[in-house]
Amino acid sequence: MENIELIFKEKFGASPEAIYSAAGRVNLIGEHVDYCGGKVLPAALSLKCCVAARRNGTNIVRIAATTLDDFTEIDLKDTSLYKSYRWGSYQAGVADEMLRAGYRLVGCDILYDCTVPFGSGLSSSAAIEVATAYALAKLGDNPIDKVELAVISRRAENNYCNVNCGIMDQFASAVGKAGCAVLLDCATLAYEYIPLDLKDCALVLTNCKKPHNLVSSSYNDRRGEVHTALEVVKQKFDVENLAEVTPPMLDECRALMPPVIYRRAKHVVTECERVRRSVEVLKSGDLESFGKILNESHISLRDDYEVTGVELDTLAEEAWKRPECLGSRMTGAGFGGCTVSLVKRSGIEQFISNVGENYKNKTGYNADFYVAEIADGIIDEGTV
Ligand code: GLA
């Protein structure tokens, strides 16, 4: 915290007024179902985007990062100008959406210090968006609740940054709670905290380190495919979302859709079942069963949804071989990023050295490992 204050003073020549943070996230189960109206079970991480901020008395938002030398300036009079910026488009998008929604924004200086690794599939972008929305709301003296922060941030990513993501990442980043997963119904935004009692186990995140980019990946193609599937199902059943469809209902529609569209829908429908079962077994403390469901989810994402790739598959397969591992699967959008594994604490070192070495031999990449700490989403780190 002191560090960010010091750097803020160096960059902006004054002390910040306040420090806030928003979390990165891991999704435990419920993958690629948020945009189908399904339930998801993410949790906020202690890896987070911290921002130090102060009002600057102008109409300009100046943004800097602890890891970058230059500033970016966003003029609140025309927030539409920054869509092509590599550093600044998320922040400008958030400001743009907040102005549209009627928030009062004031010029300010904001310094970002993000410990969520970029491109890791742990939602560094959501953490940046949510932290920005919170800082802008606070500095302009606007009341804002956590769900609204998530909604605004997601809109920025959809409308301004052209990523057609669902609500899960921003929701977990804002609403997450220490020691709990968030069971979120993406059709209604109703949510409940599920205490995560992992007993003698921990969640280990493994970053495959393969470069990936959500915008250029096949993410938007998958959204199109499940939309097609839903249109077909609607010919037979009165449903709003694919998440309402049961496996027998989908089977009745199978002959009406191309095999690839059926497989995409099958993933969504079975993944929704897995979320339901996961909540049951987690509530009863049955971690062995939860581990098996994680494995089933990975197989479905690999074979039916086809969003894994050789790196994530290798990480999961190497994890499945380890006696200390109860289950493992890719988390997030896929195509790169991280796996999440449920590992006995006593075996974590073994797990990391063994999976890391075999993965390196097979793919050439040096994976990074993090033992996840489940933390609060948005945090008021205090006034300075
Ligand atoms: C990305 C998106 C989320 C969600 C996941 C897949 O993280 O931002 O909205 O769709 O992929 O579950």
Side-chain angles (χ1 to χ4, degrees):
M1 226 42 66
E2 276 158 33
N3 194 31
I4 194 170
E5 260 180 76
L6 281 178
I7 303 178
F8 189 96
K9 274 190 204 159
E10 275 166 30
K11 298 226 183 226
F12 294 111
S15 293
E17 287 174 47
I19 299 177
Y20 313 109
S21 66
R25 67 95 189 92
V26 54
N27 187 23
L28 301 183
I29 192 97
E31 213 65 87
H32 283 281
V33 301
D34 61 345
Y35 50 81
C36 300
K39 288 188 181 171
V40 293
L41 193 66
L45 294 170
S46 59
L47 298 168
K48 60 190 181 178
C49 173
C50 207
V51 298
R54 66 154 193 161
R55 283 166 270 226
N56 63 19
T58 71
N59 216 13
I60 307 277
V61 177
R62 291 196 293 172
I63 55 174
T66 49
T67 49
L68 296 174
D69 286 335
D70 47 347
F71 288 89
T72 297
E73 298 201 339
I74 299 163
D75 190 338
L76 291 173
K77 284 205 291 294
D78 190 355
T79 44
S80 70
L81 302 171
Y82 310 95
K83 293 189 175 164
S84 62
Y85 280 37
R86 267 197 79 211
W87 169 242
S89 60
Y90 292 129
Q91 292 90 334
V94 165
D96 192 70
E97 287 295 340
M98 291 181 87
L99 289 169
R100 277 174 211 277
Y103 285 88
R104 173 180 174 270
L105 301 191
V106 297
C108 51
D109 299 333
I110 310 181
L111 175 68
Y112 291 78
D113 187 29
C114 192
T115 55
V116 190
F118 295 118
S120 62
L122 300 177
S123 294
S124 55
S125 54
I128 291 172
E129 289 153 3
V130 172
T132 304
Y134 194 58
L136 291 178
K138 285 277 191 176
L139 295 176
D141 288 328
N142 304 271
I144 185 162
D145 73 20
K146 291 178 182 176
V147 173
E148 183 65 13
L149 280 176
V151 169
I152 292 261
S153 300
R154 187 255 181 126
R155 258 193 243 140
E157 188 138 348
N158 288 171
N159 300 337
Y160 202 89
C161 307
N162 272 330
V163 182
N164 207 7
C165 63
I167 185 80
M168 172 173 76
D169 303 348
Q170 292 79 7
F171 205 94
S173 176
V175 182
K177 183 170 159 181
C180 293
V182 188
L183 177 63
L184 167 66
D185 182 336
C186 299
T188 61
L189 298 193
Y191 67 98
E192 126 186 42
Y193 292 116
I194 307 289
L196 267 186
D197 180 5
L198 299 180
K199 300 180 190 167
D200 59 345
C201 290
L203 294 168
V204 177
L205 306 174
T206 309
N207 185 351
C208 77
K209 303 280 279 297
K210 179 193 172 198
H212 83 302
N213 180 348
L214 201 58
V215 189
S216 62
S217 70
S218 308
Y219 186 88
N220 287 347
D221 296 346
R222 294 294 178 280
R223 292 210 55 165
E225 288 164 347
V226 291
H227 179 77
T228 306
L230 178 61
E231 291 305 303
V232 174
V233 174
K234 277 181 167 174
Q235 293 169 15
K236 273 192 167 263
F237 297 102
D238 180 21
V239 289
E240 286 267 313
N241 291 309
L242 211 46
E244 295 161 43
V245 176
T246 60
M249 284 162 77
L250 183 64
D251 275 341
E252 277 191 49
C253 304
R254 183 169 186 169
L256 300 175
M257 48 180 94
V260 66
I261 299 294
Y262 168 76
R263 282 191 289 116
R264 304 299 188 243
K266 179 173 161 236
H267 164 73
V268 172
V269 167
T270 57
E271 184 76 354
C272 290
E273 287 286 334
R274 284 187 284 274
V275 174
R276 262 192 295 281
R277 279 165 46 215
S278 294
V279 172
E280 264 173 42
V281 297
L282 280 173
K283 282 185 174 167
S284 68
D286 180 359
L287 293 180
E288 295 277 340
S289 296
F290 181 52
K292 291 195 180 107
I293 302 173
L294 294 179
N295 298 349
E296 287 169 26
S297 171
H298 186 90
I299 291 167
S300 177
L301 289 156
R302 182 190 70 193
D303 298 345
D304 288 336
Y305 220 62
E306 295 184 277
V307 291
T308 56
V310 68
E311 293 79 10
L312 290 171
D313 289 340
T314 304
L315 282 180
E317 281 155 22
E318 290 302 324
W320 296 340
K321 290 182 194 159
R322 300 297 311 161
E324 64 276 5
C325 177
L326 278 67
S328 181
R329 67 174 203 89
M330 59 149 272
T331 182
F335 313 108
C338 282
T339 56
V340 55
S341 309
L342 187 60
V343 182
K344 295 255 190 238
R345 284 191 180 272
S346 57
I348 289 179
E349 259 178 53
Q350 285 264 35
F351 177 85
I352 292 178
S353 74
N354 194 286
V355 173
E357 195 181 319
N358 290 347
Y359 177 69
K360 165 93 185 175
N361 289 340
K362 290 191 173 158
T363 65
Y365 289 110
N366 279 310
D368 282 340
F369 293 83
Y370 324 91
V371 178
E373 274 176 56
I374 305 305
D376 285 333
I378 194 81
I379 301 175
D380 254 301
E381 304 273 5
T383 47
V384 177

